[in-house]
Amino acid sequence: MAVGTKTLKPADLNTFANEQLVDELKKAKEELFNLRFQSATGQLESHGRVRAVKRDIARIYTIIRERELGIRETPTVAAKPAKAAATKAKKADEAAETATAEETN
């Protein structure tokens, strides 16, 4: 699905890693190709969709280029899972201590 859909908003692009942006760009280009093909054969129902997909492609290119120039930072994905893993480990330790305390009583 391209960026202009309800499932993926333009603000979400900032949270994507570079690989995900490239994947979304590829999907958008494929959709634009299909829309152009439908237009040429007279089967296109929504001409506004072509415009939306073109804007999505431009938006993705802009984010990629801004990251290359250092204007926009690439999101760090490792921070959230590490925090979640630490929380899970802490809960597991507490559960183990509780189980050990109950066994000794």
Side-chain angles (χ1 to χ4, degrees):
M1 303 222 158
V3 179
T5 61
K6 293 181 181 178
T7 58
L8 185 62
K9 302 197 183 329
D12 295 338
L13 290 175
N14 291 333
T15 62
F16 282 5
N18 290 337
E19 295 82 21
Q20 290 175 316
L21 283 175
V22 171
D23 291 340
E24 289 298 322
L25 181 64
K26 184 176 178 181
K27 289 177 190 177
K29 283 186 172 186
E30 288 176 7
E31 184 177 358
L32 181 62
F33 173 79
N34 290 333
L35 290 171
R36 284 183 176 163
F37 194 84
Q38 289 175 4
S39 178
T41 59
Q43 298 175 351
L44 185 61
E45 295 177 8
S46 174
H47 294 283
R49 185 70 189 140
V50 175
R51 182 178 181 188
V53 173
K54 284 182 180 182
R55 286 185 178 190
D56 293 343
I57 291 171
R59 200 173 281 127
I60 294 170
Y61 272 131
T62 301
I63 291 173
I64 291 172
R65 183 64 179 152
E66 286 177 349
R67 287 183 182 175
E68 288 174 359
L69 296 174
I71 297 170
R72 189 182 299 241
E73 294 182 12
T74 304
T76 56
V77 181
K80 289 185 180 180
K83 186 176 181 181
T87 305
K88 287 181 182 179
K90 185 177 178 182
K91 288 181 181 179
D93 289 341
E94 290 174 359
E97 289 175 7
T98 306
T100 307
E102 290 177 0
E103 289 177 3
T104 54
N105 289 335

